Amino acid sequence: MSGSKVSGSVNFTEENGETTSLPLVSGSVGPQVIDIRKLYAQTGHFTYDPGFTSTASCDSAITYIDGDEGVLMHRGYKIEELASESDFMDVCYLLLKGELPNAEEKDKFTHDITYHTMVHEQLIQLFRGFRRDAHPMAIMVGVVGALSAFYHDSTDITDAHQRMVASYRLIAKMPTIAAMAYKYSVGQPFIYPKNDLSYAENFLHMTFSVPAENYKMSPTIARAMDRIFILHADHEQNASTSTVRLAGSSGANPFACIAAGIACLWGPAHGGANEAVLAMLEEIGTVDRVQEFIAKAKDKSDPFRLMGFGHRVYKNYDPRAKVMAETCHEVLEELGMKDEPMLKLAMELERIALEDEYFIEKKLFPNVDFYSGIILKALGFPTSMFTVLFAVARTVGWVAQWNEMMEDPGQKIGRPRQLYTGPAERPFVPLNKR
Ligand code: CMC
């Protein structure tokens, strides 16, 4: 465990009187952890923690979250500052390399990413194999996984240079693939990337330009897109990042690992929530129905949950949600949509939920996805593209975490154990006796 130190021990005594001592380990900030790696060898017991609510699966120097205080930092920099002072290329460099780039480093990094944005022309055949009504996340899982069949020269995971080339390729090509998935679904021609545009501008261009007319770029909109990418770039060991690490721990190539992460992100409890928020706001429809839906969310016999509320780690305001709410207002102002009824509905829902005893007691606050759907809808994205945008932004987090794991000399295949509850050994029953 690099960067950590043993800072004490925890003893526990079993019913038979045997005492076991386990090391307590400190990182740089945050709670200490009990190192249970030798627990089974010492006691013959495993720990039981479905959902990993009390388990650190790795040590990492990339992202820190204090869920009680509502703090999110990448490499020590607070997300609010990164969102207001930097751009997505700065954040990508920071996540991948550990430090903010100087001017020269940033130019080179931006150039390198820009010159990897095109995809192999033959990938177009793969797109054409999908039905037009395929969900773009289904296309993303398939196409990103298929990159391993196109870029053989960056799949040797033992070679640090190839790992970095694969990382750059993934960060660079994701917006191109995402825009292609969109274009395919609406029956428009694919638009090639343009090297004189920034990462966010390029994505907007490839999504919304058509051969007959270029998308009219607004600096406010491009900045909002960039900020959405920053806010979703990494979030320590969330479900999709853990999936990427687990897939990577077996030695699978990076394109396959990121495809696994995209599959996990798709679920409504994770990245699919922004799509679900908009569906929920559409279902609620008007401000006078908010109370009815709050009551549904509180009713234990009703599976309905307020989408965009609650978080496994944040038991305070999600710091990303604050920036997202500000960006939402800026975008709607720029587009002349500040009286958008859906924004009013979202604000009213937030206000009522934050005053409600149920939400206060369970510490359920709006998360990053609560306002992102409204922004993305205003920008012209269909709801099916929302999670795709999350995947574009999170790719840098996935590859940074994957690289960190690959560089760890102590890295092992991830292989959890279980509490078996099936039948004990019993004799086989021949077919004619069943
Ligand atoms: N609406 C109503 N009740 C809720 C909600 C909600 N959105 N979220 C949690 N609860 C209740 C839940 O019923 C439970 O009550 P009880 O203790 O009485 O059984 C309690 O709060 C704790 O919930 P939990 O499901 O045990 O908590 P969790 O940490 O396993 O789940 C979560 C976290 C994000 C999956 C959950 O809050 C949720 O389903 N939220 C809605 C989906 C959502 O917005 N997801 C986006 C997360 S942020 C983006 C990302 O990181 O991907």
Side-chain angles (χ1 to χ4, degrees):
M1 293 168 102
S2 54
S4 57
K5 59 174 188 304
V6 175
S7 48
S9 61
V10 190
N11 298 333
F12 68 92
T13 307
E14 294 190 60
E15 277 174 357
N16 64 9
E18 273 190 37
T19 297
T20 303
S21 180
L22 293 168
L24 259 180
V25 180
S26 302
S28 45
V29 211
Q32 294 172 305
V33 299
I34 305 170
D35 180 351
I36 57 165
R37 283 176 294 174
K38 299 217 168 92
L39 182 73
Y40 181 60
Q42 281 177 248
T43 66
H45 305 309
F46 296 125
T47 55
Y48 177 66
D49 186 17
F52 304 113
T53 51
S54 295
T55 297
S57 59
C58 61
D59 54 332
S60 176
I62 301 176
T63 292
Y64 174 75
I65 301 176
D66 183 334
D68 294 325
E69 296 298 322
V71 171
L72 167 62
M73 297 190 295
H74 296 314
R75 308 274 193 194
Y77 296 104
K78 288 183 84 167
I79 190 69
E80 295 89 335
E81 269 185 279
L82 290 172
S84 64
E85 305 298 324
S86 72
D87 63 21
F88 189 59
M89 282 298 100
D90 263 340
V91 174
C92 286
Y93 190 97
L94 176 70
L95 290 170
L96 272 181
K97 313 211 181 226
E99 295 297 335
L100 286 167
N102 63 28
E104 199 184 317
E105 288 164 339
K106 184 162 175 189
D107 279 353
K108 175 160 181 2
F109 181 71
T110 307
H111 174 274
D112 290 350
I113 294 292
T114 305
Y115 279 79
H116 276 301
T117 48
M118 281 173 61
V119 292
H120 196 292
E121 194 68 8
Q122 226 170 307
L123 263 180
I124 291 177
Q125 316 302 331
L126 195 62
F127 274 92
R128 298 214 195 286
F130 285 98
R131 284 170 52 137
R132 288 279 173 191
D133 61 356
H135 195 288
M137 281 300 274
I139 299 183
M140 296 301 285
V141 174
V143 173
V144 174
L147 294 181
S148 28
F150 284 84
Y151 300 102
H152 296 139
D153 58 344
S154 55
T155 51
D156 178 358
I157 56 161
T158 61
D159 178 338
H161 177 68
Q162 290 202 24
R163 289 202 299 269
M164 205 37 79
V165 173
S167 304
Y168 281 31
R169 280 183 167 149
L170 277 157
I171 296 166
K173 294 183 198 309
M174 280 293 277
T176 314
I177 296 169
M180 288 171 85
Y182 170 70
K183 287 296 193 196
Y184 187 71
S185 72
V186 290
Q188 290 180 2
F190 298 133
I191 300 291
Y192 289 97
K194 274 189 81 185
N195 286 353
D196 57 349
L197 297 178
S198 73
Y199 191 88
E201 287 171 343
N202 216 346
F203 178 60
L204 290 166
H205 162 69
M206 290 187 287
T207 307
F208 295 123
S209 287
V210 288
E213 194 173 330
N214 268 345
Y215 174 70
K216 288 190 185 54
M217 202 68 66
S218 135
T220 309
I221 300 300
R223 179 76 190 121
M225 193 73 255
D226 191 77
R227 201 171 283 167
I228 290 175
F229 288 152
I230 293 176
L231 293 177
H232 288 89
D234 191 50
H235 212 226
E236 54 121 299
Q237 308 312 318
N238 58 83
S240 58
T241 302
S242 298
T243 302
V244 169
R245 279 190 180 254
L246 197 56
S249 77
S250 73
N253 77 69
F255 303 106
C257 295
I258 301 308
I262 295 171
C264 178
L265 185 75
W266 194 355
H270 191 7
N274 51 16
E275 191 175 336
V277 170
L278 218 72
M280 177 189 75
L281 292 174
E282 270 160 10
E283 197 190 342
I284 299 176
T286 46
V287 170
D288 58 305
R289 294 189 67 204
V290 167
Q291 282 295 2
E292 180 193 329
F293 281 81
I294 298 259
K296 264 165 80 66
K298 288 156 58 173
D299 180 357
K300 283 279 151 237
S301 60
D302 189 326
F304 175 79
R305 283 185 168 201
L306 268 199
M307 299 314 284
F309 266 78
H311 198 274
R312 169 61 63 79
V313 184
Y314 294 118
K315 302 301 168 200
N316 198 324
Y317 222 98
D318 177 344
R320 303 168 300 171
K322 282 188 192 155
V323 183
M324 201 60 96
E326 270 167 42
T327 308
C328 186
H329 284 99
E330 276 167 32
V331 166
L332 296 187
E333 177 84 46
E334 167 80 9
L335 297 174
M337 295 166 70
K338 63 180 181 347
D339 294 324
E340 170 69 15
M342 202 163 274
L343 176 66
K344 291 224 162 83
L345 179 59
M347 286 168 66
E348 185 61 3
L349 183 64
E350 178 183 3
R351 187 187 68 74
I352 296 178
L354 290 178
E355 284 172 0
D356 191 289
E357 206 38 56
Y358 173 93
F359 289 85
I360 296 171
E361 190 209 313
K362 294 192 189 304
K363 302 188 173 154
L364 298 169
F365 292 87
N367 59 47
V368 67
D369 288 325
F370 190 66
Y371 282 103
S372 63
I374 301 175
I375 309 179
L376 296 175
K377 182 168 187 262
L379 294 184
F381 289 100
T383 43
S384 59
M385 279 297 286
F386 293 1
T387 316
V388 173
L389 288 168
F390 194 156
V392 170
R394 184 55 57 87
T395 296
V396 64
W398 289 330
V399 296
Q401 301 265 353
W402 174 80
N403 274 293
E404 184 181 61
M405 181 183 74
M406 298 313 292
E407 282 159 20
D408 179 353
Q411 185 263 324
K412 278 183 167 27
I413 184 167
R415 181 27 173 119
R417 299 306 301 262
Q418 63 171 12
L419 176 63
Y420 177 67
T421 55
E425 185 178 340
R426 49 183 171 161
F428 179 76
V429 185
L431 187 58
N432 61 358
K433 301 247 170 67
R434 284 177 226 160

